[in-house]
Each structure stands twice: as structure tokens, then as C-alpha cells.
Amino acid sequence: MRRGTLRIYLGAAPGVGKTVKMLGEGRRRAERGTDVVVGFVETHGRAFTAAELRGLEVIPRREIEYRGAKLTEMDVDAILERAPQLALVDELAHTNVPGSARARRYEDIEVLLDAGIDVISTVNIQHLESLNDAVAAITGVTQRETVPDQVVRRAEQIELVDMTPEALRRRMAHGNVYKAEKVDAALASYFRPGNLAALRELALLWLADRVDETLERYRADQGIHASWPTRERVVVGLTGGPEGEQVLRRAARIASRGAGGELHAVFVTSADGLTGPDFATVAAQRALTADLGGTFHTVSGDDVAAAILDFARSVNASQIVVGTSRRPRLAHLFAPGVGEGVVAGSGDIDVHMVTHDLARNSRPRPRSRAALSARRRVWGYAVGLLGVVALTGLLMLLRDHHDLPLDFLLYLGLTVATALVGGLWPAIVTAVVGSLALNWFFTPPLHTFTIAAGQNVVALVVFVLVAAAVSSVVHVSARRTRQALAAERESAALTQVSHAMLASPDPLGFLVTECLDLFDMRAAGIVRRDPESPRLEVLAATEGFDPDERESAVVEPVEEDTDLVLVGRVLRGEDQPLLSAYASHAAAVLTRRRLQAEAATASVLASDNRARTALLSAVSHDLRTPIAAVKAAVSSLRSVDVAFSPEDEAELLASIEEAADRLDALVGNLLDASRLQTGVVRPRCHPLDVTEEVRAILDGVSAPERVHVWAQGVCPGWADPGLLERCLANLVENALRHARGDVVVNVATLGDRTQIRVVDSGPGVPTADLDRIFQPFQRRGDAPAGDGVGLGLAVARGLAETMDATVTADETPGGGLTMVVDLPAHRPGSVPGSQA
């Protein structure tokens, strides 16, 4: 059986017309003879959407009972039994009612597709999992229903249903999206012009990326390697030189000229990984690429130009930007530069050669340090020169027992031995001196530099060339070995410090301590300069570190105003890359600290903002309701046009009293929350009988006849009676508000603690929300219904904690919620049974 195809209409926000578009496509398919059914469509009360359903067969929904209510969901089994060619299924990201066969609607759609049924569905951009954080940052609303991106990506067709923010807001203002009472709030919050523009951009960019993926698959399937400039993609080639930042900025300006331009920076390192540019320079260029909105890539290759071209073709680049050569003009006679190589192999990709301050004006690159130490080179010269003298004397003593070919081999062996000991130049000197000795003492005519036989001339020249070649190979091998050991040392040190810093509570302190052993220093520290003060701030330091010694110490910049200072010996040049890497680690730690501080500040501000928003919502709704009730009752009693009976007057007065009590409770909770937040609550605890306190508290609750107290005799406690009364009153009132029947308060002593359990049989709270309900301004279902502002439980927990007690929530067996107050049975530190 073939698998069905999935087509998705993608929208930037609710109301852009996705469902109408889906129904219109279904009608067109039906008119062409396709068997079409409506599996699930949510009209949201929109008349125009409902009208589009006319003429289409609608599969009846399946009813599911959940917590006493009957809810409807798509009947997948009925659709499978009906077996249409095409099913229209709205709201791809929908979460099914608990008790359904599958948790999510996209899983239901997978079942239909596996059965060979084509499906057309709809989804908004805010429901894509990868964009959840971005949408929350834009709109301030976290979407609870999301769909994995791969589900949408697997669709055979994705069509964007687009609408400008102004047109969508006009639709809303005309009542075509939401009901009239919701329009003003929606336009002022989620559907602000800026929000809609940002969501629309997200939708366009996400779909453009999917189009790019489809295009790349097509190019790969068809074997097309030429660049197709469908979008301006600029690749800037970096070799780690200091000119990279200037070239990057120039490339960013080129990429920004076209809408949707992309910037890709590619850094080419040597294939062997043994040599490379300064670590700090590459890190700075990586950071600059991110600031310019580009992406940084690292590739390896011995041919830099070929590596840049291969990468450019892999991303379908339209332009390549490279810096002009820093080498002298004479060097181009022997080998072309990177720029010339890129231009020669670019084909249909445009190449920009960007000039910079270092172009052809920089000094030649310094020669690499000798591969061997000075001591080994001295030993090499000694072995070579003394060996020539000794070998020459020995051969002269044994003149009658050898001939010229053997002499050549012996001197060649001495040259190789010299190369093994001292490297290239001692070996070359040995080869030259050995060739002179061979010519003078053993090549006819003797004791003259004239050579009689031509073949001896050739042999002597070949001897010198072979000696130089072998010496060069030995020298390069020694240099590569030393570089490999240095690279291994640097890699091991960086790996160790990276892992250890992640686990260390003081990363900066650990880093400066590591510097002592790694660089053999006497002291180390990280200092920050204050431009307005000559004093230095020491961020981290080892014992004995004096910031005033920095003038004679090794100083490595960490940030613009921060340095890593090492006090001790003079640092070797080969240790500079590792020191730069350590400085980059320190910069990363400081940056992370700043980001953590900013995140903590932002979290506090966000929390305060949520509290203010919730408080305003409470004042506008929950406080307004009792005030309106009081005003209505008082206005009725003062009216001279209506004569009220004594019973009516009593009822009105009772409603006034009830509303006033409700106001008193709400204001009391607000004041308690404010006192707890400012820390002015000071409990006065003393021994008390918890059972009697509980019974006394019940006299002040709204429905005492529904509350039953079960206690095991006298249950001692150590608490503040007033605070305990406020705490329990809030818990009992919360239980009465949500319980379907009576509320039970159970008091029992367990060891040195006394527990008060307030048990109700209401709808309960999901396990994941048992702790969240104690946060301020949280109500069941997070809905604006009820008489409270969502402070009761938060105040109860806060008051309990001031008395060294705890309040937790647990599930009631059989359904409901149990609040547990756990407080000391006796004064903390006292012996049970003694006088407090």
C-alpha cells in the first residue's frame, strides 16, 4: 500500500486564513472527482469558515469523557473505515484529550498517511518546536502545544498562507477572527504590529530554508556542482592573519547589499594540524563573524585556495572574498598566492580581492625556529668536523686496503650520522668538508683539488647532493617531531584545563594555578585596569602575586581592560600560543559571569513584571467583582423607587457583608505577600495545642459546616498562633473553593513533628504542577476564574516557612488535593516533655 501524501498550510499567526485555504482546496479536489472528507475542522465560531464546509462530508467527532466533562476529538477509526482519498485535518499541533489512543494530532495524521490516505493540515509558525523560544521572546507567550520540525519537514508540500500585519489587524477589528469582547485585548497584546511582523519574518525565513533544502537535494540528485546564485551567499577565506578582521567587515558589507544575504567565514588550517596562527587571533575573528551575523567554519587542507573553493561550492556560494597577498612580489615568481589560486579555480563564482593595510607591505614572515637545540647543533658540528679528521686519518693509515667508492660511502655515512645528531647545517658543513677531504687525499691526482677522471667529478657532486638531501629529510623529521610533541602538549593542557574548569567552583583561580606549573612561573594573576584609577583590581591570583610587578612580567591581554599576568622567567616564543589559549579561556569565563549576572537581573525583572501584570489583572477582575456587588446592593437599598421587603433587605445586606469579607481576604493576602517579600514578618512562636487552634480557625471560614476535623487527642505544636491561623485559613478556603464535597482536616503527631493535612476531593492538580501552584498569582488551570488573585497558597507557604514549618501538596487517593502543613511539635532544640 502506498503511503499518503501530506500537504501543510503554514501561517504566521491565527486568522491569516489557513483553514479557509485548506477547505477551499478540499472543495476544488472534490469538484474534480476526488473522494474528500473533513476529518476535523475548528471554525472558532467564524461564519465565513463555517460556510466553507457546505458541500463537504464531515466525519462525526468521537466523544471522550474527561473529569466529568464530555470533549470531542477526531475519530481516526471512522476515517479509516470510510477510507477516503483525501482527509482535511485542522490544527496539526493539537494535543488530544487524555484517554485518546494517541497523545498528539500529528500522530493521528501519521496513522492516516500509513493507511494510504492523503492529508491536508494547517499549523502556525509559533507551534514549531525549534522556534518555541524565539516566539516566546517576541510575544511573551510560551506555546504549550508544539510539533517537531521533522514532522512538518516530511510534508510533500508546504504552502505559506501570508497576510500583512495591517490586513490581519483589520480582520480582527472587524470581528472576523475573535469575538468582539476579545478583540481589544488581542490587538493590544499578542497581535501588536511588531509581533505580527516578527512572526511573519520567522515564517518566511523558515520556509525559505526548507526551499533551500529541497534545492540542495535536487542539485545532489542531478549531480549539479555549479553554483546557482538563488541567494547571495558570500564566503570569506581566512588564513588566521591579522588582516582577517578587515576582510570580514568588507565581506559583511557585500553580503548585506541583498535581502537575505548570508555570510560564511571559512578558516583553513594545515592538514597535519601541527602549525597554525595565533589562537587569540582566530578566536577574535570567530567572535567578529558572530557579531556580523555570519557563521564561522574551520576546514583543513594543505592547499588553502582549493579548500576555500571546495567549501564555497558546498554552500552554493555566489561570491568569495579574500584578502590580497601579504607576500613580497618576488615570492609570486615561485608560487602563486592564495588569491590567485582562488581566482584561477573559481569558475562561475565571483571573487573579490580585498586590499588591506598589510597588503605587500608587511615584513617577511620570520623564519621558523631551529628544530634542534643549540647544544645538539654544537655537538653536530663537533661530530662532523672531528669525524672528518678522524676518518681521513684512519683511511690514510689503511690506504692499501680500500678504494674510492668505499671512501664515498664512509663519508656519506658520517654525514648522515651528523644529521641525526645536529640537524641540517652541521650535516651540510660535514658534507662540504668531507668532499674536500675526499678530493685532496683520495681522488687522483692526490693533494690537489684537480680531478683527473670525469666520473669522480660526478661521484663527488652526487655525494654532496645526497648528503644534503638526507640531511634535509632528517632535519624536517626532527622539526615535525618537535612540532607534534608541542601540539600534543598544548592539546593535552587545553583539554585538561577545559574539563577541570567546568567542574571547578572557581574557574579563574584554577586557571592561574595551572599557569604556574605549565609555564614554570613564580606567581600568576588576572587583573582588571580601571581607566579612572591607577589601582588594579585582582580578579584571581596565586599566593605571592603582586600586581605592581606587571611591568617586568609577562602580560597577555584577556579583554580590553583585563590582563593575564605571569611573574617569573622570560616566556619562550613557542609557549605564546598556549598562553593565548589560556587567556581566551579566562575571557570566556568572564563573559559567562557577565551573562549569568545579566540573566539573573533579567529574571528578577521578568518575575517582577509578571507579578505586576498578575496584580493588575487581579485588581481589574477579582477586586472589581466584590466592589461591584457592594455598589449594586447599596444603590438598591438607597433607591426610593423600589420598596424592598425585610427579607430582600436582609439578602442585600448579606451580599454586602459577603463581598466585604471577600475584599478583606483579598487585601489581607496582598498585604501578607508584601510583608513576606520585604521580610518584615517576625513570628512569635510558643507551645500550643494544634487541635484546638484548628477548631478555632474553622469558625472564621466561609462554610464551616463542610469542614470536619479528625485529631488524635492533644497534638502539641511550636508556632505563632496568628500566623498559623492565616496559613490554615488560606489552605481551607482554597480546599472549599475547589472541593466537590466536604473537606477533612486531619491532625496527627509524628515523632518530633506535627502534621496538619487539609484533604479535598476536588479535580486535583497535575503532578508536574504540585510545586508551581505555590508561586504567587498562580491559580488552578492558570485561568482568570475564581474569587482569588492566586496568592492564598503562596502566602500560606511563606507564613509557614517563617515558623520553621513547611507546606507541600500531594494527590488525594481517589482524586483531589491534599495540603500538608508540617511544623515542629516542640521548641527546636528542647527535650520533648520539658517546659519550653
Side-chain angles (χ1 to χ4, degrees):
M1 181 182 299
R2 76 168 186 90
R3 176 179 167 85
T5 61
L6 175 61
R7 179 173 183 173
I8 295 177
Y9 287 105
L10 175 68
V16 296
K18 303 180 301 301
T19 303
V20 172
K21 192 83 171 178
M22 178 185 70
L23 294 174
E25 178 64 21
R27 294 170 66 88
R28 284 190 292 274
R29 297 274 191 96
E31 291 171 357
R32 293 197 299 265
T34 303
D35 185 11
V36 181
V37 300
V38 176
F40 186 96
V41 165
E42 188 61 67
T43 64
H44 297 288
R46 301 166 189 166
F48 186 80
T49 304
E52 289 292 310
L53 283 169
R54 287 197 297 266
L56 292 174
E57 179 184 351
V58 179
I59 301 296
R61 301 184 185 183
R62 183 167 60 95
E63 289 189 351
I64 301 175
E65 186 172 351
Y66 179 67
R67 291 187 174 179
K70 289 187 176 181
L71 305 175
T72 60
E73 287 291 355
M74 181 174 66
D75 193 339
V76 178
D77 294 336
I79 298 175
L80 293 175
E81 184 179 354
R82 171 66 173 74
Q85 293 177 281
L86 173 65
L88 309 180
V89 182
D90 205 4
E91 298 182 357
L92 178 68
H94 173 74
T95 300
N96 293 333
V97 175
S100 301
R102 285 159 292 276
R104 308 298 297 276
R105 182 160 295 162
Y106 66 80
E107 297 173 350
D108 293 338
I109 291 177
E110 285 294 322
V111 173
L112 299 180
L113 295 174
D114 291 338
I117 301 174
D118 297 337
V119 177
I120 300 179
S121 187
T122 64
V123 70
N124 283 325
I125 194 67
Q126 65 264 29
H127 294 296
L128 295 181
E129 182 65 45
S130 65
L131 300 177
N132 196 14
D133 293 343
V135 172
I138 293 169
T139 64
V141 178
T142 301
Q143 299 295 330
R144 300 183 183 275
E145 293 185 324
T146 58
V147 59
D149 287 45
Q150 60 266 25
V151 172
V152 182
R153 288 175 177 172
R154 286 200 300 264
E156 281 71 17
Q157 295 183 60
I158 305 175
E159 182 174 338
L160 180 67
V161 182
D162 190 28
M163 181 176 290
T164 64
E166 295 77 12
L168 180 55
R169 284 172 59 85
R170 281 197 301 271
R171 287 197 65 198
M172 293 198 63
H174 295 156
N176 295 331
V177 179
Y178 289 155
K179 294 181 180 180
E181 60 269 19
K182 295 183 178 180
V183 170
D184 291 339
L187 290 175
S189 56
Y190 192 90
F191 289 85
R192 295 194 299 269
N195 288 1
L196 296 177
L199 292 174
R200 186 186 186 203
E201 182 178 7
L202 279 179
L204 291 170
L205 291 177
W206 190 90
L207 190 60
D209 289 338
R210 304 293 77 73
V211 173
D212 282 343
E213 291 177 359
T214 303
L215 177 61
E216 288 304 317
R217 284 197 301 269
Y218 174 80
R219 283 162 46 85
D221 294 341
Q222 300 298 321
I224 300 173
H225 302 291
S227 176
W228 284 10
T230 55
R231 182 187 297 190
E232 204 66 52
R233 291 184 177 88
V234 179
V235 170
V236 51
L238 301 175
T239 58
E243 77 282 357
E245 294 188 5
Q246 196 170 348
V247 178
L248 267 172
R249 291 188 174 91
R250 181 74 175 107
R253 290 196 294 272
I254 294 174
S256 64
R257 291 173 182 171
E262 296 179 2
L263 176 65
H264 299 270
V266 54
F267 165 61
V268 183
T269 184
S270 60
D272 54 26
L274 300 179
T275 59
D278 181 61
F279 183 88
T281 301
V282 177
Q285 292 177 5
R286 181 187 296 272
L288 178 60
T289 303
D291 293 340
L292 295 173
T295 56
F296 192 92
H297 310 267
T298 301
V299 299
S300 63
D302 291 326
D303 189 338
V304 177
I308 293 175
L309 288 169
D310 290 342
F311 176 82
R313 292 191 179 96
S314 69
V315 298
N316 196 21
S318 58
Q319 302 185 63
I320 299 176
V321 179
V322 293
T324 53
S325 177
R326 290 182 291 144
R327 301 188 305 163
R329 295 183 183 276
L330 186 61
H332 290 261
L333 299 177
F334 302 97
V338 173
E340 288 86 344
V342 171
V343 171
S346 62
D348 55 354
I349 306 177
D350 297 336
V351 179
H352 299 265
M353 298 282 289
V354 177
T355 186
H356 50 83
D357 297 338
L358 301 177
R360 304 190 194 279
N361 295 324
S362 60
R363 293 175 296 178
R365 293 182 180 179
R367 296 176 181 269
S368 60
R369 294 174 59 89
L372 302 175
S373 63
R375 184 177 180 181
R376 285 192 60 176
R377 293 197 301 275
V378 171
W379 274 104
Y381 284 117
V383 169
L385 296 177
L386 294 178
V388 169
V389 173
L391 180 60
T392 302
L394 179 63
L395 292 178
M396 290 185 66
L397 291 176
L398 304 174
R399 182 181 297 274
D400 298 334
H401 300 283
H402 59 86
D403 53 10
L404 189 59
L406 179 61
D407 297 339
F408 276 112
L409 291 177
L410 292 174
Y411 277 99
L412 180 60
L414 176 63
T415 303
V416 173
T418 303
L420 292 173
V421 175
L424 177 63
W425 290 109
I428 290 178
V429 171
T430 301
V432 172
V433 175
S435 67
L436 294 176
L438 277 169
N439 190 1
W440 183 268
F441 291 105
F442 305 109
T443 304
L446 302 179
H447 307 301
T448 178
F449 290 110
T450 303
I451 301 176
Q455 62 179 359
N456 291 337
V457 175
V458 175
L460 198 60
V461 172
V462 170
F463 165 75
V464 175
L465 293 177
V466 170
V470 171
S471 302
S472 177
V473 170
V474 173
H475 177 80
V476 170
S477 175
R479 178 164 56 87
R480 289 294 187 183
T481 301
R482 187 171 185 178
Q483 289 175 347
L485 291 175
E488 182 181 3
R489 171 174 168 266
E490 292 179 8
S491 176
L494 291 176
T495 301
Q496 178 183 359
V497 75
S498 298
H499 284 236
M501 285 176 65
L502 290 175
S504 174
D506 181 16
L508 290 182
F510 175 83
L511 188 143
V512 295
T513 302
E514 284 291 305
C515 288
L516 294 185
D517 299 332
L518 187 64
F519 300 110
D520 193 20
M521 293 293 179
R522 177 167 50 84
I526 298 177
V527 298
R528 176 175 291 158
R529 304 182 302 275
D530 187 353
E532 300 180 358
S533 172
R535 299 188 60 182
L536 298 174
E537 178 187 359
V538 180
L539 303 180
T542 60
E543 186 177 355
F545 176 76
D546 184 1
D548 295 332
E549 293 187 68
R550 70 192 308 270
E551 297 299 331
S552 59
V554 178
V555 179
E556 179 69 19
V558 174
E559 292 181 334
E560 184 177 356
D561 57 349
T562 308
D563 296 325
L564 172 60
V565 181
L566 304 181
V567 180
R569 66 178 181 85
V570 177
L571 194 69
R572 296 175 299 182
E574 60 192 27
D575 289 333
Q576 183 60 43
L578 191 57
L579 179 61
S580 300
Y582 269 54
S584 298
H585 276 296
V589 172
L590 294 175
T591 301
R592 187 173 65 216
R593 285 184 176 180
R594 284 195 300 270
L595 292 176
Q596 288 174 343
E598 292 173 1
T601 303
S603 177
V604 172
L605 292 176
S607 177
D608 292 344
N609 185 59
R610 287 194 298 268
R612 284 193 296 270
T613 302
L615 181 58
L616 289 174
S617 174
V619 171
S620 64
H621 180 273
D622 296 300
L623 295 183
R624 182 183 297 174
T625 301
I627 291 175
V630 171
K631 181 176 177 58
V634 172
S635 298
S636 299
L637 290 174
R638 294 187 60 188
S639 175
V640 297
D641 298 331
V642 180
F644 292 99
S645 65
E647 293 80 8
D648 293 335
E649 291 182 356
E651 185 177 351
L652 289 172
L653 291 173
S655 65
I656 293 174
E657 182 179 11
E658 181 183 354
D661 290 340
R662 190 184 307 170
L663 277 174
D664 179 65
L666 293 175
V667 174
N669 279 336
L670 289 171
L671 293 176
D672 286 340
S674 177
R675 292 167 60 206
L676 288 169
Q677 189 173 11
T678 55
V680 299
V681 177
R682 296 292 183 268
R684 297 179 180 179
C685 299
H686 59 75
L688 48 80
D689 183 355
V690 177
T691 304
E692 291 300 322
E693 293 295 329
V694 171
R695 296 186 188 279
I697 290 168
L698 299 184
D699 295 336
V701 299
S702 58
E705 70 280 358
R706 294 176 52 198
V707 183
H708 305 283
V709 179
W710 293 351
Q712 300 175 354
V714 176
C715 296
W718 177 265
D720 182 317
L723 298 184
L724 183 60
E725 176 186 354
R726 293 290 299 152
C727 173
L728 292 178
N730 281 340
L731 296 180
V732 174
E733 287 291 352
N734 181 75
L736 289 171
R737 184 177 302 113
H738 297 293
R740 297 191 182 97
D742 293 342
V743 174
V744 176
V745 180
N746 193 341
V747 185
T749 300
L750 304 174
D752 60 349
R753 308 290 292 184
T754 295
Q755 282 192 354
I756 308 170
R757 306 177 71 88
V758 181
V759 184
D760 70 63
S761 56
V765 174
T767 304
D769 294 337
L770 287 178
D771 191 64
R772 189 176 66 87
I773 60 176
F774 290 100
Q775 297 176 8
F777 306 107
Q778 297 292 325
R779 287 174 290 197
R780 180 180 178 274
D782 202 27
D787 298 328
V789 296
L791 277 175
L793 298 182
V795 169
R797 171 173 279 189
L799 295 175
E801 290 175 348
T802 63
M803 301 182 293
D804 194 25
T806 61
V807 177
T808 56
D810 198 0
E811 296 180 358
T812 301
L817 187 66
T818 298
M819 293 291 178
V820 182
V821 181
D822 186 288
L823 67 154
H826 307 280
R827 181 175 185 173
S830 66
V831 179
S834 63
Q835 295 295 324

